[in-house]
C-alpha cells in the first residue's frame, strides 16, 4: 500500500505520532488510507449538501475496512459568477481543483480516493486529478436540484436568465421576474436541466468512474446517500484489487462517454473537459472523434434547455443505465468502478419512460447533440450544441456585429441594437484573451428573452450548458492568439452551415492578410491567478489546459 510510506517502520514514528493525534488506532494503521475530496461549501447550491454525502462515503469506507480522511476542495458557482468579472475565474478553477486533489493525495500517500462534487468545473477537475494520480478512485456526484414550480409549470435557472431579456423587451414586468426568481431554485443540487454540471455527472458515470445510477439521482433523494455509502465501500475493494482510474478511463470508455453526450445533447463544455481528462489519462482524443461519433449516435432525449425534460425526468426514466440500454448496439464493452462492464449495466437496465428516452430508431433527431465546425473563421474548430438549434437556423448567412468583449455585446443586445439576421461576434474572451474563457449565458439568454429567432452568436469564449439557440463557441485559434476571429470587421459576411459543419468568414484572403499585417495583439497587465493562467493556457481545441 502507498500509505505504508508514512506509517511503516521505526523511522516513521514521527509520522505515526501525528496520525495518532487524529485518533488513528493501532488496527487502523494496517488498513488502507482513503482520501475523500469534498467540495462542500455554503456558497454553491450544488454543494451545500455534500457534507452529508461525504459522511456516508466515510461510513462506507470504514465499514469495508478502510480509514477515511476528508479534505476540502474549492468550487465556483457558475450561475452566481455569470455575467461579470467573476466568470473569468471559473475555468481556471478547474486546474486549481485538479492540482489541489493531486497535492493532497500525493503528500499524504493515500491508497485510494473518493471525490465528492457536483458542479461545472469541480467534477472535471476531480476527474483530471484521479487520472493524473492514478490511485484507485470513485467519483460521487451530488445530484440535480428539484425543479422550481409556479402557476402550473416547472422552472429552472434558465427561466430567470431569459426573463431578463423579456423584461428588457417589455414582455414581462420586474415584479413578475422577481416572483420567478423566488420560485425557480427550491433547494440544494445542480441546476435542473442538462447543463454543464449534470452533463459532466452523466459523462462521469458513462466513462465508468461513478457507480451505476449516480448521475441522475436528485440531490435530496435518499438513493444518493445509499450510492455514497456504496461508493465508499467500493473504493476499498478497488484498492485491494488494484483497479486504477487509467484502467477505467481509456480511449474506448471516453468514446462511450461521447456517445452518451451525443444521445442526450449535453453541454458544449464537455468537449473541453473530456479533452482535458484524456490528456491527464494520456489517452489520445481529438475533436474529430466528436463528429465521427455524432454522425452515428442519434439524439434520443430532449433535455432542458432546448427540450422539456429535466434531470428528474431522466432519473424517473431510468437514468444513465437506461441511456446505455438504448445505446447498447453502439457501446464498447469497458470496465467500470462498479465491477460491472458497460454492456452488463446496459443489459440489466430498464427504460421506465419511453416518452423521455426515445429509441435509436425513432429518435428526437438522427444526429448527435453536438457538432464540431471548422472553416475560415475557425480553422482549428469550434463547438455548437446543434440539439438546441432550430432546424431553420442550421444554415445562415449574415453580417457580423463585432464586440471586443461580452459586456459591450450585452449592452447592445439589451438596447435592441441587434437586427434579425445578424451574426454577433464576441471576441477576446478565449482562454488567453478573456482570460479564463468566460461563459456567455447572459447575452444568449437575453437574445432568447427578447424574442430574437434569426441571430447567430459566435465567440472564442464559452457557452453555459443552459444556452440554447444558434450559438457557436470555443472558436480556435482565439482572437488573442491571432485567429481569424480577430480580423473580423463590422458588416463582414459570415456563413454558418451546420449540415456541412462549416463556419466561414466570407472575406477575400488577400484582404485578410492585409488586416493581419495591421493587427496588433492587445497588451494589458493581468495580475494573480488570471495572469498565470493566460501565460500558460492552451487553446480551446486542446482542452484549454495549462501547459
Amino acid at each position: 500500500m502507498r500509505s505504508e510510506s508514512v506509517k511503516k517502520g521505526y523511522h516513521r514514528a514521527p509520522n505515526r505520532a501525528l496520525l495518532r493525534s487524529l485518533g488513528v488506532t493501532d488496527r487502523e494503521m494496517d488498513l488502507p488510507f482513503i482520501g475523500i475530496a469534498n467540495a462542500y461549501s455554503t456558497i454553491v447550491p450544488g454543494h451545500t449538501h455534500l457534507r452529508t454525502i461525504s459522511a456516508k462515503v466515510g461510513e462506507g469506507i470504514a465499514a469495508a475496512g478502510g480509514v477515511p480522511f476528508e479534505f476540502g476542495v474549492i468550487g465556483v458557482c457558475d450561475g452566481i459568477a455569470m455575467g461579470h468579472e467573476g466568470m473569468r475565474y471559473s475555468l481556471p478553477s478547474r486546474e486549481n481543483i485538479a492540482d489541489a486533489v493531486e497535492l493532497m493525495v500525493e503528500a499524504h500517500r493515500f491508497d485510494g480516493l473518493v471525490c465528492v462534487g457536483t458542479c461545472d468545473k469541480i467534477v472535471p477537475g476531480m476527474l483530471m486529478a484521479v487520472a493524473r494520480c492514478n490511485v484507485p478512485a470513485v467519483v460521487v456526484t451530488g445530484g440535480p436540484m428539484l425543479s422550481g414550480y409556479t402557476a402550473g409549470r416547472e422552472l429552472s435557472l434558465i427561466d430567470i436568465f431569459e426573463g431578463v431579456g423579456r423584461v428588457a423587451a417589455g414582455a414581462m414586468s420586474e415584479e413578475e421576474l422577481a416572483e420567478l426568481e423566488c420560485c425557480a431554485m427550491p433547494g440544494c443540487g445542480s441546476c435542473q436541466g442538462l447543463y454543464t454540471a449534470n452533463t459532466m455527472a452523466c459523462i462521469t458515470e458513462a466513462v465508468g468512474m461513478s457507480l451505476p445510477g449516480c448521475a441522475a439521482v436528485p440531490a435530496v433523494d435518499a438513493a444518493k446517500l445509499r450510492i455514497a455509502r456504496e461508493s465508499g465501500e467500493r473504493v476499498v475493494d478497488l484498492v485491494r484489487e488494484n483497479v486504477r482510474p487509467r484502467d477505467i478511463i481509456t480511449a474506448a470508455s471516453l468514446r462511450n462517454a461521447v456517445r452518451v453526450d451525443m444521445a442526450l445533447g449535453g453541454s458544449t463544455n464537455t468537449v473541453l473537459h473530456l479533452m482535458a481528462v484524456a490528456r491527464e489519462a494520456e489517452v489520445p482524443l481529438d475533436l474529430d472523434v466528436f463528429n465521427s461519433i455524432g454522425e452515428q449516435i442519434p439524439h434520443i432525449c430532449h433535455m432542458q434547455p432546448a427540450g422539456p425534460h429535466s434531470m428528474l425526468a431522466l432519473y424517473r426514466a431510468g437514468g444513465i443505465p437506461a441511456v446505455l440500454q438504448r445505446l447498447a448496439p453502439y457501446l464498447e464493452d469497458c470496465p467500470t468502478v462498479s465491477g460491472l462492464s458497460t454492456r452488463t449495466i446496459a443489459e440489466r437496465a430498464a427504460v421506465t419512460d419511453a416518452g423521455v428516452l426515445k429509441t435509436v430508431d425513432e429518435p428526437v433527431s438522427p444526429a448527435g447533440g453536438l457538432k464540431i465546425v471548422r472553416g475560415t473563421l475557425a480553422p482549428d474548430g469550434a463547438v455548437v450544441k446543434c440539439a438546441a438549434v432550430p432546424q431553420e437556423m442550421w444554415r445562415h448567412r449574415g453580417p457580423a456585429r463585432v464586440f471586443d468583449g461580452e459586456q459591450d455585446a450585452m449592452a447592445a443586445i439589451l438596447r435592441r441594437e441587434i437586427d434579425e439576421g445578424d451574426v454577433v461576434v464576441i471576441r477576446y474572451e478565449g482562454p488567453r484573451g478573456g482570460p479564463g474563457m468566460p461563459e456567455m449565458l447572459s447575452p444568449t439568454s437575453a437574445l432568447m428573452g427578447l424574442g430574437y429567432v434569426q441571430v447567430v452568436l459566435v465567440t472564442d469564449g464559452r457557452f453555459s450548458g443552459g444556452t440554447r439557440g444558434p450559438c457557436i463557441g470555443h472558436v480556435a485559434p482565439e482572437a488573442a492568439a491571432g485567429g481569424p476571429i480577430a480580423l473580423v470587421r463590422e458588416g463582414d459576411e459570415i456563413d454558418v452551415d451546420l449540415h456541412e459543419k462549416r463556419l466561414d468568414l466570407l472575406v477575400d484572403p488577400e484582404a485578410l492578410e492585409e488586416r493581419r499585417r495591421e493587427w496588433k495583439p492587445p497588451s494589458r497587465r493581468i495580475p494573480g491567478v488570471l495572469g498565470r493562467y493566460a501565460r500558460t493556457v492552451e487553446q480551446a481545441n486542446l482542452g484549454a489546459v495549462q501547459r
Side-chain angles (χ1 to χ4, degrees), residues 77 94 108 115 150 209 262 264 319 390-391 481 533 546:
C77 176
R94 182 189 70 177
H108 300 98
C115 291
T150 188
M209 286 305 300
M262 292 295 177
L264 293 176
Q391 280 291 321
Y533 186 80
Q546 288 182 274

Side-chain angles (χ1 to χ4, degrees), residues 408-426:
D408 288 346
M410 184 66 174
I413 291 167
L414 292 178
R415 290 194 300 264
R416 303 298 297 265
E417 294 174 358
I418 305 302
D419 296 324
E420 290 283 19
D422 285 348
V423 178
V424 176
V425 176
I426 303 178

